[in-house]
Amino acid sequence: MPEYIMFIWDDEQAWELAEPATVEATMRAHGEFIAEHAGVIRGGNRLHTSESSTCVRADPQGSVRISDGAFAETKEVIGGYYLVEATDLDAALRIASRIPAPFGGVEIRPIRPTA
Amino acid sequence: MDPVVAAAVADAHRMHWGLVLAAAARLTGDLDEAEECAQDAYTAALTQWAADRLPTSPAGWLCTVARRRAMDLLRRRDVHRAKLPLLVEAPLTPGPDHVLEHGYADGPDEGGDLAGEGSPFVAVPDDRLRLIFTCCHPALDVNARVALTLRLLCGLSTADVARAFLTSEPTMAARLTRAKKKIETARIPYTVPAAEDLPARLAAVLDVVHLLFTTGHTAPAGVGLVRRDLSERALDLARMLHRLLPADAGVAGLLALILLTDARRHTRTDADGRLVLLPEQNRALWDRSEIAEGLTLARQALRVRPVSRYVLMAAIAATHASAPRWEATDWAQILALYDHLVTLWPSPIVALNRAVAVGHALGPRAGLDALEPLTRDPQLSGYHYLPATRAEFLHRLNRDDEARTAYTEALHLTDNATEQAFLRRRLAELPP
């Protein structure tokens, strides 16, 4: 059975400014979506905002460059993902720098624990 | 307030803030709370220290008080459990084993016994290393790394950090908050990096300290050429790193570079605040003790292979410092060092400095040729040293009309009043 990841791209600022009622309604809608599709969902999470992102890129010399923030270039879109357990960012960066990504890089974002 | 006590507390703030905060951070697991604990310790010192009975180890006293505050916070947290500890520590204390190989020393530091009495925590060699590796983590924005280091290790107020970087206090406060939040949510660990990560991560720390020094040494705008405080903090940090990692040649090289550059600080401007370049500087006023210390460190660092970037830069500074007169400068050696440096660090700024060395070692014609490809480098297009250097070479070749154009171009590219005045003087000296 093929699997798909569905990344939700949205406006973080709109989330920040949203009325509590809107946030609640959206969360409820997610709950309903999950219940309706429970048989096919393999995983899904809400992420911390992109401010908490870190990028890793291998440069042509083969060393690894780490930088703050999400990928900004519009040419690059999320093409796949791994969900990985790691104790801290250093451990996560070590794993991420092993992921083959010859045409781009890997963005590491901490998962937000469900309340 | 007793002036003796006030001065002692101010001294301890300057010298030990990072140590006190780092000790508290290990317990609180939260940088904001650790800052509070450190602040409380210094406030307590102001009222509890007596002029005739200052503590034998002010750092030890302050760390103990800060840790006690941290323990109070932890106990309260146990009751309410409103907040989880946020700083991440490696599950196993990153045994100083691998650090020892790298030359870690728990030397006779000013810290004293840091395991506060009755504390269940074993004293680690120095928490400041953890703190500086966290603050200079490459996952943080580079400006945030510098700001965090100044705030958390050097204890500068947010207002002072903002002033140093020519930005407003709210902007700087937001930058600091955002960086601390990233440390928390992304789980940037509060630890000395694993052996495999250490060389790259230490390089990131050295870059922050070097950036701090150069920002202080040459202010990008305004009238004061030297923001003395920043340079001094960078020197303090380099000394601290060298004390903690004495066998690391890169650290020794950076400390040597800072000392050898700082030694010239009194001669970089004249009595009227005008810029004085190396050839005209009064070498009798160079700081001899800083030069002696820098030369010894540079020599030691040069013996370690492979030679790294800051060691080569220190060697270049050492060659200048060793010349009794400008005319006696060993340009052949400086050029050889730059030839090596451009291979390690292919930056256009280094290439520009190399071109200057070419001009002195092989003549202005060769210097001009070395500059030529750099005039097309977009990274240098706004950099006033490039046209200023061209102007010098052109003037030495008696092409004064072209020199005038190049000086004028340089003048338009700098905001630093001292540098502008220098360029105007050069223009005025050209034959009509």
Side-chain angles (χ1 to χ4, degrees):
Chain A
M1 172 74 74
E3 288 182 349
Y4 298 88
I5 172 127
M6 298 174 187
F7 262 104
I8 303 163
W9 290 81
D10 56 18
D11 182 348
E12 287 174 348
Q13 223 182 344
W15 268 108
E16 237 181 88
L17 299 173
E19 297 292 331
T22 315
V23 175
E24 252 176 59
T26 312
M27 291 305 163
R28 223 175 12 254
H30 273 291
E32 286 159 13
F33 171 81
I34 291 164
E36 269 176 46
H37 301 86
V40 295
I41 291 177
R42 295 286 171 268
N45 273 297
R46 185 177 174 192
L47 303 183
H48 276 290
T49 55
S50 57
E51 279 190 339
S52 62
S53 264
T54 306
C55 293
V56 170
R57 270 178 206 267
D59 58 23
Q61 287 81 40
S63 59
V64 169
R65 216 151 36 79
I66 300 169
S67 62
D68 174 52
F71 277 104
E73 295 94 321
T74 47
K75 239 185 96 184
E76 274 151 333
V77 296
I78 295 165
Y81 95 131
Y82 287 96
L83 192 58
V84 173
E85 274 187 2
T87 49
D88 58 40
L89 186 65
D90 281 354
L93 286 167
R94 274 197 293 277
I95 298 165
S97 57
R98 308 280 306 188
I99 297 175
F103 307 114
V106 178
E107 178 179 333
I108 303 122
R109 187 99 67 93
I111 297 288
R112 198 170 159 139
T114 41
Chain B
M1 171 74 48
D2 186 292
V4 177
V5 171
V9 173
D11 267 7
H13 189 274
R14 162 83 195 276
M15 289 166 65
H16 307 304
W17 172 268
L19 187 74
V20 177
L21 186 145
R26 277 256 282 168
L27 299 182
T28 61
D30 179 288
L31 291 172
D32 286 327
E33 287 181 359
E35 278 189 85
E36 268 173 51
C37 294
Q39 196 55 60
D40 285 354
Y42 281 94
T43 310
L46 279 176
T47 55
Q48 290 172 33
W49 288 5
D52 53 341
R53 249 181 334 101
L54 292 172
T56 41
S57 166
W61 192 98
L62 289 158
C63 284
T64 304
V65 174
R67 281 164 172 271
R68 217 173 272 146
R69 289 277 192 281
M71 296 295 279
D72 290 346
L73 277 180
L74 285 183
R75 268 191 290 273
R76 240 178 292 150
R77 203 196 269 156
D78 277 341
V79 179
H80 299 294
R81 209 69 216 170
K83 205 171 178 188
L84 290 165
L86 298 164
L87 277 178
V88 193
E89 266 194 61
L92 294 168
T93 304
D97 292 357
H98 73 264
V99 184
L100 269 176
E101 284 164 30
H102 206 76
Y104 193 112
D106 181 18
D109 204 0
E110 66 275 58
D113 175 23
L114 300 184
E117 73 266 31
S119 154
F121 297 88
V122 186
V124 292
D126 199 310
D127 284 323
R128 281 176 301 184
L129 263 191
R130 293 164 181 263
L131 186 58
I132 200 165
F133 276 113
T134 302
C135 290
C136 299
H137 198 286
L140 297 167
D141 171 74
V142 68
N143 293 316
R145 288 178 225 165
V146 178
L148 275 178
T149 302
L150 279 175
R151 179 83 193 91
L152 298 182
L153 275 131
C154 305
L156 258 66
S157 70
T158 304
D160 284 342
V161 180
R163 244 192 312 281
F165 289 90
L166 310 169
T167 173
S168 74
E169 193 176 339
T171 304
M172 185 51 74
R175 186 184 289 169
L176 285 164
T177 304
R178 182 192 171 285
K180 285 190 217 158
K181 186 146 184 268
K182 173 151 186 188
I183 291 173
E184 199 179 296
T185 55
R187 296 171 67 83
I188 290 177
Y190 186 58
T191 173
V192 175
E196 55 186 306
D197 297 335
L198 195 58
R201 294 281 306 282
L202 186 56
V205 171
L206 297 187
D207 287 348
V208 166
V209 177
H210 183 241
L211 180 62
L212 206 55
F213 178 75
T214 49
T215 306
H217 196 63
T218 316
V223 278
L225 189 70
V226 179
R227 258 175 291 173
R228 188 68 200 134
D229 207 32
L230 284 190
S231 309
E232 275 178 6
R233 300 301 175 145
L235 182 55
D236 289 347
L237 287 169
R239 278 195 195 286
M240 176 195 93
L241 286 169
H242 180 59
R243 228 173 7 241
L244 298 173
L245 302 165
D248 189 278
V251 173
L254 178 63
L255 177 55
L257 172 65
I258 291 178
L259 285 165
L260 292 166
T261 314
D262 196 56
R264 307 200 289 255
R265 70 186 178 280
H266 295 305
T267 60
R268 293 184 72 239
T269 50
D270 65 15
D272 302 321
R274 290 186 300 185
L275 184 66
V276 181
L277 287 193
L278 207 47
E280 283 94 35
Q281 286 179 12
N282 180 356
R283 295 179 183 225
L285 297 179
W286 285 0
D287 187 324
R288 288 292 138 194
S289 73
E290 281 193 327
I291 288 177
E293 193 186 353
L295 288 177
T296 307
L297 284 163
R299 264 186 228 114
Q300 285 164 1
L302 274 168
R303 283 200 284 270
V304 180
R305 302 291 136 154
V307 172
S308 63
R309 179 176 138 188
Y310 290 117
V311 177
L312 282 172
M313 290 168 74
I316 292 166
T319 311
H320 281 299
S322 306
R325 288 164 296 112
W326 166 255
E327 294 74 22
T329 307
D330 185 348
W331 285 107
Q333 176 166 320
I334 288 178
L335 181 55
L337 290 165
Y338 269 117
D339 284 343
H340 192 168
L341 187 59
V342 281
T343 63
L344 283 187
W345 186 22
S347 115
I349 303 278
V350 176
L352 175 54
N353 285 319
R354 185 189 159 274
V356 174
V358 169
H360 288 291
L362 309 171
R365 179 74 255 166
L368 220 45
D369 288 346
L371 276 184
E372 212 278 323
L374 301 176
T375 55
R376 292 187 297 272
D377 193 311
Q379 282 192 64
L380 290 177
S381 65
Y383 193 48
H384 67 280
Y385 277 120
L386 178 58
T389 306
R390 272 193 71 234
E392 297 285 345
F393 291 156
L394 289 164
H395 171 56
R396 281 167 59 196
L397 291 166
N398 296 317
R399 290 157 63 177
D400 285 329
D401 283 342
E402 290 166 88
R404 203 181 325 276
T405 311
Y407 274 130
T408 310
E409 190 189 331
L411 195 53
H412 289 307
L413 291 174
T414 179
D415 294 329
N416 185 305
T418 312
E419 305 251 12
Q420 284 175 343
F422 167 80
L423 291 164
R424 278 201 199 90
R425 244 181 311 138
R426 282 294 216 230
L427 264 175
E429 281 162 14
L430 289 177

